[in-house]
Every structure is written in C-alpha cells, then in structure tokens.
Amino acid sequence: MNILIVLAHPERKSFNGALVDTAKGTLERAGHEVQIDDLYAENFDPVERAEWYANHNNNEYFAALTEQSNHFKAKQLPEDVNREISRLDWADLVIFQFPLWWHAQPAILKGWFDRVLVYGGLYSGRMRYDHGYFRGKKAMCSVTTGSPAQTFMPFGRAGNMVEWLWPFHSSLNYIGFNVLPPNVSYGVQAGGIQYQEKAAFEAHLETQKTDWASRLRDIEQETPIPFTGWSDWNEDGVLRHDHPMRWRP
Amino acid sequence: MNILIVLAHPERKSFNGALVDTAKGTLERAGHEVQIDDLYAENFDPVERAEWYANHNNNEYFAALTEQSNHFKAKQLPEDVNREISRLDWADLVIFQFPLWWHAQPAILKGWFDRVLVYGGLYSGRMRYDHGYFRGKKAMCSVTTGSPAQTFMPFGRAGNMVEWLWPFHSSLNYIGFNVLPPNVSYGVQAGGIQYQEKAAFEAHLETQKTDWASRLRDIEQETPIPFTGWSDWNEDGVLRHDHPMRWRP
C-alpha cells in the first residue's frame, strides 16, 4: 500500500512524532511505501478565506464553496491545497496522528479539512458517503490524550473517545474513506506536567510504540467501522422506513 | 448582562453575520451591553506553536502547556491572547456564532480554544469543570448548517446535532461555563449552491432572525445543559459507584 501519515503536532520530537517514526519504520519493513505530511513543518495555514482565491466569482461576497468549486474546475486552487490533494490521490491508507486538544484535532488539522477537501472537487451533493471521492481507500486516527485512561472509560469524567472522534470519523466517511478504528495513547503529557522525569516518558512511549507497531503489521486485514450509505436512505436523506436498523433493540 | 459574541465566518455579510447583528440589536434593546469579537476581521491566527512564546523554558523541546502556564504567570502571553482573555473576563454570557464545517467549528475558532484557553491560567488540574475559571458565567453556540433540517433529525444521514456540538459544549463545561442549548439554523448555504435566488436567502434569514431574537429576549431565564461535576466523581475521575446516574434505565 501507499500510506500517507498526516502529523499535526508543533514538536517533532514529541510522543506524537515518535509514533509517526514507529509507524513509518514498521510499515516500510512490511513492504509499504510511506510518506509523512508534517503540517507544522510545512507551516500549513488552516484558515479558509477569500484571499486564497485568485478569481472571485463575486468580489462583494465571499462564498467559500462557490470559490472552491470554481477554482478546482479552473485548476486554480492554492498550491498547498493541490499538494495535499496529490498526496491523498497517491495514498491507499491515510493515518492522522495528532494530540486531542479541546476534544478534537488541533486547529492546523481542522483547517486542513476546511481548505483541502474542496467542494465540487473532492465532494458534491451526490459524491459523498459511500459514493465519495475516496471510496475504496482507508483512513484512521492515531491520537494522544492528556487525561489518563480511566477517565475516558465508561462513566469517566473525560468522556467517551468514540464521541470525541465521531465528528472526525464522520468527515472521513463523508468523503468516502473506509474508517478504521483509532489508535489511542492515553495519559500523554510532555513537558513535565505529568511525567516527573524523562524515564517515565520513555517507558510509556516504548509500550505505546510496541502496541502500535504490532497493530500496524496487520493493518491491511482490519475491518472498518460500519456506516450507513445511499442505499439505506430515502429521498429525504433519512433511513428508509422499512430499514432493519430502525428496529434494533 | 455583558454579552460577548464571538463570530467565526469569513464573510461579514453572511447569514452568520446577520444573526450576529440580530443578536446585538435584540440584546441591546433588552438593556444588555454587547461586544462583537469578529475573529476573521481581527485576522486571528489559530495555530498554537513555539513562536508565540518569548521565553522558552526549553529551546530544544516545545511543550505547549508548559509555555502557556509560564507565560501566563510571567504576564508574557501573546497580545491577541490577552485581548481575548480580557473580553472573556468582561462577559457574563458568551455566544459563539459559526457555520458547522466538517462537523465542527471552523479552524479559526478551534484554534481560539487551543491558544486562548491557557493551561495554568484559565484551567488546571483542579480548576476545571464546575470548579472552572468561568464558573457562574454562561456560554452557548449559534450554528448554521449546509444540509437541510430533515437530514439532522433522528435516522437522518447528516447525523445528530447533539453529537456534533458535544466536543464544543464539553470544552465550555471544562472551563466552567454553564452551557445553554444551541441555536441551530439548518439548510443555510450562501453563494448560489442551495439558494437559487437572493429572495430565498432573505426569506430564510428573516425567519431565523425572528426565531433567534424571540429566544434572546428571555435568554437570562434559560436552564443550562446538565453536566456531572467534582462531587459526582471518585478519586479516579469516574462516576462514584453509588451514584444514581449509574442506575438510570
């Protein structure tokens, strides 16, 4: 497989960065091609705005989706957006490595969605979900959290990881990816807040690297998270009234 | 009340911008003080990175939370972060107005959380949840969606708005706010994709402005979304084993 790892962390020597190196080494040894897309290193600007578009449809009113669509068709998208789309076109599997900040991906990665996944190019009214642009390809998240594991377990105060990643996973599904279950490393906080010494950081990292590498060696065999699709919905975009999922206990 | 409206939309003349104007007018007529915080107009940079911090604790390794905490204590936070914190300190109610992009707030607002809500200043291990910095204050979201309302209803393909806003609401709760239920305007897409003509845009906007103004006139009386708090959890950060919520049907 061609595998793209999108990294969104401001410190390359971080726990997140180390997990990327583990993934690259493990996957290459298994015979895959790997590219790292380090959004911080590339100084990616995540803010969608009028200034990105050379030829406005309407200089008085900025409509992001209209400009995305027009500039895609005219092959006038911003250079960094084109570069990201080329990488996605190349990849069979995309791994997003990031720390969970405020219950979601860092802004640099949130805006990667806002800017790179252009309307009229990578999705449209009909080219979505299981008819999406990236159908047949796979994607997944690998995330770290500051709070410890037990607070994310049932009844824990930090909440449910399935819920925190649901918007991200749903966006991947929206553009057609098969979404694999996430890799989660709990209780990771660099910089001395949680780890009293470097040894504790290294010990935790070693465990997580081993787990991650072990999973990645068989990543091709994994089953994606199930989502509903076009054949499940009626013309209003709602689950068909005779659909068996309406009758689940 | 002092009310801060944080706007995250790249076009001030948008549906989102109009809802801000409606809110400001309505709330001022009801006797409140209102400030608008237009993140695009202020060119807010949402990317948390080493360059924001003048005096690094460690030049070899950027640990965001350590630098946030140290620079808060030394009164050396970036100017824009200080400005945002002053606005939050002033406000009794904060309204976040934004379009739902990729199942979440736009990157400019996601990074507002990443950069402004500084560790060691606006939250800490103990200063969180119902002991949070903003306890006693209220906050809420007002969002617009591209997809129409029926696709967000039960069994709709666009999913559940409670789930999309859960990370945002949980972050507001984490820093101590009482979170009011959101205002949601479904099926809003400017720029000709959905509206075939300006008249349809205006008609939809008029309805939503009326609903929003009607709700805002009594906003002080609203009941917040319930969350658990410190007295509900044991020392592991998990709901107490004798807690009645464990036995809900």
Side-chain angles (χ1 to χ4, degrees):
Chain A
M1 288 195 291
N2 291 337
I3 300 175
L4 179 67
I5 305 177
V6 180
L7 169 61
H9 195 289
E11 173 54 63
R12 188 62 182 83
K13 296 186 290 293
S14 62
F15 204 102
N16 277 263
L19 291 182
V20 165
D21 295 333
T22 294
K24 185 169 194 290
T26 305
L27 292 165
E28 285 178 344
R29 279 190 294 278
H32 304 295
E33 293 279 326
V34 180
Q35 270 193 57
I36 297 176
D37 183 3
D38 181 340
L39 298 180
Y40 270 94
E42 301 203 357
N43 206 19
F44 182 75
D45 182 337
V47 180
E48 178 64 336
R49 50 162 59 96
E51 289 75 8
W52 293 114
Y53 300 98
N55 294 302
H56 290 181
N57 179 59
N58 179 349
N59 279 316
E60 299 299 311
Y61 191 101
F62 173 59
L65 302 193
T66 302
E67 301 299 352
Q68 288 183 356
S69 181
N70 289 347
H71 285 72
F72 176 85
K73 284 172 192 135
K75 300 188 189 303
Q76 291 184 319
L77 288 174
E79 194 179 339
D80 56 353
V81 170
N82 278 328
R83 187 186 63 224
E84 295 300 315
I85 293 174
S86 297
R87 287 169 170 161
L88 291 169
D89 283 339
W90 170 83
D92 302 302
L93 165 65
V94 183
I95 299 172
F96 296 91
Q97 177 70 53
F98 60 91
L100 202 71
W101 285 357
W102 298 104
H103 308 105
Q105 69 271 49
I108 202 169
L109 181 52
K110 175 55 179 59
W112 182 93
F113 281 77
D114 298 346
R115 290 193 54 224
V116 174
L117 304 179
V118 296
Y119 176 77
L122 304 198
Y123 74 99
S124 68
R126 189 67 193 174
M127 185 174 62
R128 294 188 289 172
Y129 306 110
D130 53 337
H131 294 176
Y133 182 88
F134 295 106
R135 62 193 175 280
K137 298 187 175 203
K138 296 173 186 173
M140 68 175 294
C141 297
S142 175
V143 308
T144 62
T145 74
S147 292
Q150 75 268 15
T151 63
F152 288 96
M153 296 300 110
F155 298 109
R157 69 171 177 234
N160 182 332
M161 188 56 64
V162 172
E163 292 171 356
W164 303 138
L165 294 180
W166 186 235
F168 198 116
H169 286 160
S170 297
S171 294
L172 293 175
N173 171 63
Y174 188 90
I175 51 174
F177 280 109
N178 286 318
V179 185
L180 301 180
N183 177 56
V184 184
S185 304
Y186 293 100
V188 174
Q189 285 189 346
I193 285 158
Q194 179 155 334
Y195 300 108
Q196 295 307 304
E197 43 183 313
K198 198 160 184 297
F201 178 90
E202 295 291 346
H204 188 187
L205 181 56
E206 277 312 309
T207 308
Q208 292 297 300
K209 280 161 72 171
T210 305
D211 289 355
W212 186 212
S214 161
R215 179 170 167 196
L216 286 170
R217 279 189 283 270
D218 296 318
I219 197 77
E220 282 185 280
Q221 273 67 55
E222 289 204 15
T223 304
I225 298 169
F227 284 87
T228 57
W230 287 99
S231 67
D232 299 301
W233 307 319
N234 66 21
E235 60 192 8
D236 288 330
V238 175
L239 205 66
R240 286 187 286 99
H241 289 276
D242 62 350
H243 196 285
M245 274 179 67
R246 286 195 178 255
W247 306 105
R248 279 196 311 192
Chain B
M1 290 195 291
N2 292 337
I3 300 174
L4 179 67
I5 305 178
V6 180
L7 170 62
H9 196 289
E11 174 54 63
R12 188 61 182 82
K13 296 187 289 295
S14 62
F15 205 102
N16 277 264
L19 291 181
V20 165
D21 296 333
T22 294
K24 185 169 194 289
T26 305
L27 293 165
E28 285 179 345
R29 280 190 293 278
H32 303 295
E33 292 280 326
V34 179
Q35 269 193 57
I36 297 176
D37 183 4
D38 182 340
L39 298 181
Y40 270 94
E42 302 203 358
N43 206 19
F44 182 76
D45 182 339
V47 180
E48 178 65 336
R49 51 161 58 97
E51 288 75 7
W52 293 114
Y53 300 99
N55 295 301
H56 290 182
N57 178 60
N58 179 349
N59 279 316
E60 300 299 312
Y61 191 100
F62 174 59
L65 302 193
T66 302
E67 300 300 351
Q68 288 182 355
S69 182
N70 289 347
H71 286 72
F72 176 85
K73 284 171 191 137
K75 299 189 190 301
Q76 291 184 320
L77 287 174
E79 194 179 336
D80 57 353
V81 169
N82 278 327
R83 188 186 63 224
E84 295 300 316
I85 293 174
S86 297
R87 287 169 169 161
L88 291 169
D89 284 340
W90 169 84
D92 303 302
L93 166 65
V94 184
I95 299 173
F96 296 91
Q97 177 71 53
F98 60 91
L100 202 70
W101 287 357
W102 298 103
H103 308 105
Q105 69 272 47
I108 202 169
L109 181 52
K110 174 54 177 60
W112 182 94
F113 280 78
D114 298 346
R115 290 193 56 224
V116 174
L117 305 179
V118 296
Y119 177 76
L122 303 198
Y123 75 99
S124 67
R126 190 65 193 176
M127 184 172 63
R128 293 187 290 171
Y129 306 108
D130 52 336
H131 293 176
Y133 182 89
F134 295 106
R135 61 192 175 280
K137 299 188 174 202
K138 295 173 188 173
M140 68 176 294
C141 297
S142 175
V143 308
T144 61
T145 74
S147 293
Q150 76 268 18
T151 62
F152 288 96
M153 296 299 110
F155 297 109
R157 69 171 177 234
N160 182 331
M161 188 57 63
V162 172
E163 291 172 357
W164 304 139
L165 294 180
W166 186 234
F168 199 116
H169 286 159
S170 296
S171 294
L172 294 175
N173 171 64
Y174 188 91
I175 51 174
F177 280 108
N178 286 318
V179 185
L180 300 181
N183 177 55
V184 184
S185 304
Y186 293 100
V188 175
Q189 284 190 346
I193 286 158
Q194 180 157 333
Y195 301 108
Q196 294 308 304
E197 42 183 313
K198 198 161 186 297
F201 178 90
E202 295 290 346
H204 188 188
L205 181 57
E206 277 312 309
T207 308
Q208 293 297 301
K209 281 161 72 171
T210 305
D211 289 356
W212 185 213
S214 159
R215 179 171 167 194
L216 286 170
R217 279 189 283 271
D218 296 318
I219 197 77
E220 281 184 282
Q221 274 67 54
E222 290 203 16
T223 304
I225 297 169
F227 284 88
T228 56
W230 288 98
S231 66
D232 298 301
W233 308 320
N234 65 22
E235 59 190 11
D236 289 329
V238 175
L239 205 67
R240 287 188 285 97
H241 288 277
D242 61 349
H243 196 286
M245 274 179 66
R246 285 193 179 256
W247 306 106
R248 278 196 308 193

